[in-house]
Amino acid sequence: MSTAETMMSQMAEKGGFIAALDQSGGSTPGALKQYGIPESDYSGESEMFARMHEMRVRIITAPSFTGEKVIGAILFERTMDGDVKGEPVPAYLWRERGVVPFVKIDKGLEAEVDGVQLMKPMPGLDDLLERAVKLGIYGTKERSTIRLPSESGIRAIVQQQFAVAEQVRRHGLVPILEPEVLIKSPDKAACEQLLHDCVLEELQRLPEDARIMLKVTIPEVPDLYDDIARDPRMVRVVALSGGYPLDQACEKLRHNHRMIASFSRALIGDLRHQMDDAQFDATLGRTIDQIYDASVHKV
């Protein structure tokens, strides 16, 4: 099989989960602080991103971080363009770790309107996608958020997600659509039902050879997205941790039989800059085992 076919097979069929290592400008200071690096330890954006890159490199080079359980990883754009051990990060992930590389493509969120936050414009998207293809990236991820059960707002979110996904597909990449229902929504279940219905409607309009993925908040109703996951155009439905603590996120995930994890905060939450390499890998390994177990073994 070609590399693209091997990656597609891994993403569609292999047991495991996706590591979301794509914290961007707005969330980077918080992620670094949690990791044990306060804002006083760096000056300016370039130093901040350099420290974040060091953290991500430490994660992806740790012995426990392999394609045996981590089948994919979502990268921040600057991480995609960076190097690890003298090799471009996407190439290192695939060749040395057996992990399929994705890149986050959205540029953040608009202000809330009609209960949702649409993605900001992405004027340089085609250039980014061309660069991603050359670097061996398999797919992309794009995030927007939903707070209220507004049918018109959620429909606008889904239509924007699918429009951007079409642009991604034209470059031969597999898009992950991420319309996140906020866990603090006053009516999370109603938001999720509306989201489900809108996604299913748009999915069924796609040509039969289309291949996309969907990343959603773990739903209040178990297996809500099961019919979407069964559609042959849907490579995989994956779950974000959304602010749930690791134990709670894993417990909720176990009740969704066609859903695997794509955790960020829950994956890195126990890692600390001050740990030596053995402690770091042992802590990461325990978290990987827990997320893998919840992704593969269901109740």
Side-chain angles (χ1 to χ4, degrees):
M1 286 194 294
S2 67
T3 298
E5 290 171 333
T6 304
M7 287 184 177
M8 179 67 80
S9 175
Q10 176 156 314
M11 294 316 305
E13 301 168 11
K14 189 172 182 179
F17 70 95
I18 298 172
L21 305 176
D22 59 333
Q23 299 85 359
S24 55
S27 58
T28 299
L32 284 174
K33 184 177 180 181
Q34 183 182 45
Y35 182 52
I37 300 177
E39 290 187 50
S40 58
D41 276 14
Y42 53 86
S43 176
E45 188 176 87
S46 60
E47 281 190 29
M48 177 183 75
F49 283 121
R51 301 304 295 271
M52 198 68 193
H53 183 69
E54 290 169 5
M55 185 188 85
R56 290 169 177 146
V57 167
R58 195 178 187 193
I59 291 169
I60 66 178
T61 57
S64 58
F65 192 91
T66 75
E68 180 184 351
K69 294 179 179 177
V70 184
I71 61 173
I74 305 169
L75 306 173
F76 180 49
E77 183 180 343
R78 289 183 183 226
T79 307
M80 177 190 78
D81 290 330
D83 292 338
V84 52
K85 296 187 176 181
E87 192 170 7
V89 171
Y92 178 86
L93 276 171
W94 180 243
R95 293 174 190 163
E96 304 298 328
R97 307 271 90 182
V99 175
V100 175
F102 293 78
V103 64
K104 166 187 160 69
I105 59 172
D106 67 84
K107 301 300 181 185
L109 302 173
E110 301 278 18
E112 182 178 313
V113 175
D114 201 10
V116 304
Q117 287 183 276
L118 291 163
M119 294 180 284
K120 290 181 177 178
M122 295 172 253
L125 181 56
D126 283 317
D127 291 339
L128 169 57
L129 296 173
E130 287 175 12
R131 200 164 77 250
V133 169
K134 290 177 183 176
L135 286 167
I137 291 287
Y138 165 84
T140 63
K141 193 211 76 168
E142 57 195 58
R143 174 179 176 263
S144 44
T145 65
I146 298 165
R147 189 176 68 86
L148 299 175
S150 161
E151 183 173 358
S152 56
I154 292 173
R155 188 170 297 280
I157 281 273
V158 171
Q159 288 176 344
Q160 184 191 42
Q161 286 275 343
F162 273 84
V164 174
E166 183 61 27
Q167 188 174 353
V168 171
R169 290 201 311 111
R170 288 199 295 268
H171 288 263
L173 298 167
V174 176
I176 300 177
L177 290 68
E178 186 185 13
E180 176 183 353
V181 175
L182 300 174
I183 65 171
K184 294 183 179 179
S185 165
D187 199 343
K188 182 170 176 282
C191 290
E192 288 166 344
Q193 186 61 57
L194 286 168
L195 175 62
H196 166 276
D197 296 347
C198 288
V199 168
L200 187 59
E201 182 180 322
E202 293 293 329
L203 179 62
Q204 291 172 342
R205 291 193 177 120
L206 292 180
E208 290 185 3
D209 65 347
R211 295 293 180 269
I212 68 171
M213 296 175 64
L214 179 67
K215 181 170 178 174
V216 289
T217 314
I218 307 170
E220 295 302 295
V221 177
D223 289 334
L224 175 65
Y225 299 101
D226 192 72
D227 54 345
I228 289 173
R230 291 176 184 271
D231 190 290
R233 289 160 288 205
M234 187 61 63
V235 178
R236 212 80 178 245
V237 175
V238 303
L240 57 99
S241 52
Y244 290 123
L246 176 61
D247 290 348
Q248 187 179 2
C250 288
E251 178 57 31
K252 290 174 73 69
L253 181 61
R254 288 182 189 279
H255 294 271
N256 290 272
H257 294 80
R258 290 181 175 269
M259 183 180 285
I260 65 171
S262 176
F263 290 174
S264 174
R265 279 169 285 184
L267 172 65
I268 67 174
D270 290 335
L271 300 177
R272 298 293 178 269
H273 172 66
Q274 295 80 4
M275 292 175 171
D276 63 31
D277 288 345
Q279 289 176 305
F280 186 92
D281 185 56
T283 302
L284 178 62
R286 284 192 297 271
T287 304
I288 286 173
D289 287 346
Q290 186 174 350
I291 299 172
Y292 173 85
D293 192 62
S295 294
V296 173
H297 301 121
K298 305 297 183 176
V299 297

